[in-house]
Amino acid sequence: MPNKLLVSAACLAFIFGCASRQKTDTPPPAAPSSPQAASSKTAPAPAASGTPQAAGAKPAPAPARTDGRKVKSKDGKVDGEIFGTPGAKSKFAKVQIGMSRTVVEKLIGGPEDSDTHITGRQFTPFYFGGDTLRYEAYYKNEGQLTYSNSSRSSAPDTLIIISVDTKATGKRR
């Protein structure tokens, strides 16, 4: 009996100790401002054999966009972001944050490519809300639309991010 009490007390101390640990959100270090330092990081040195890169190597990810603006849906229930400004006659000018995926696809057509992934909220214990799954739709010469789920068990069907890129290939990067 004393061992069970000791183990229970140790487990409780561990759980509450981890839960009360302070989390800090520090921004990542700033990128170098000199053009020479920036180009040396982005351009990899050629391999010794003369080949540019190995066949299985992935290209570096695109830098994060910072030109976004926060917006709300017409009904005020959905918070979203818009990166860039869609042209007056572009497909993305017809869509709005908070629209469902079926309505968007009826308005502007289906995407050239798409991708689905889970978010970090999927792994949060005792979190039963939405935004655990995202669906990204890629449109050629338009950009990318990102949808999120409204509850843990639903499909990602609410538009939350409009990312305008007139040079988009319509494929995942």
Side-chain angles (χ1 to χ4, degrees):
M1 185 71 176
N3 286 340
K4 287 183 181 179
L5 186 61
L6 182 62
V7 170
S8 298
C11 288
L12 283 174
F14 177 74
I15 290 172
F16 287 113
C18 290
S20 65
R21 194 172 130 223
Q22 294 292 327
K23 294 182 177 106
T24 59
D25 292 332
T26 58
S33 60
S34 70
Q36 183 182 17
S39 66
S40 66
K41 285 191 174 189
T42 57
S49 65
T51 57
Q53 282 186 346
K58 288 186 175 181
R65 294 185 66 171
T66 57
D67 60 339
R69 61 188 187 279
K70 304 256 186 215
V71 295
K72 283 196 173 282
S73 61
K74 277 189 172 180
D75 60 4
K77 294 180 181 178
V78 180
D79 293 326
E81 283 186 278
I82 300 176
F83 294 93
T85 304
K89 295 185 179 185
S90 73
K91 292 179 180 180
F92 283 11
K94 300 175 185 176
V95 300
Q96 297 174 353
I97 297 295
M99 286 181 141
S100 72
R101 194 165 106 195
T102 54
V103 169
V104 169
E105 289 182 359
K106 283 180 184 176
L107 275 175
I108 66 173
E112 277 76 26
D113 198 6
S114 64
D115 187 24
T116 304
H117 62 89
I118 59 174
T119 66
R121 289 188 179 179
Q122 181 77 28
F123 303 106
T124 305
F126 305 111
Y127 178 77
F128 302 107
D131 197 26
T132 56
L133 186 63
R134 295 226 174 150
Y135 174 84
E136 296 173 343
Y138 301 93
Y139 290 85
K140 187 173 185 176
N141 299 327
E142 295 287 337
Q144 171 184 335
L145 299 177
T146 304
Y147 301 88
S148 179
N149 57 337
S150 55
S151 69
R152 189 174 188 99
S153 59
S154 67
D157 62 352
T158 305
L159 182 62
I160 60 166
I161 300 174
I162 301 171
S163 182
V164 179
D165 181 7
T166 57
K167 298 176 185 172
T169 62
K171 302 289 179 194
R172 287 178 273 180
R173 294 183 215 200

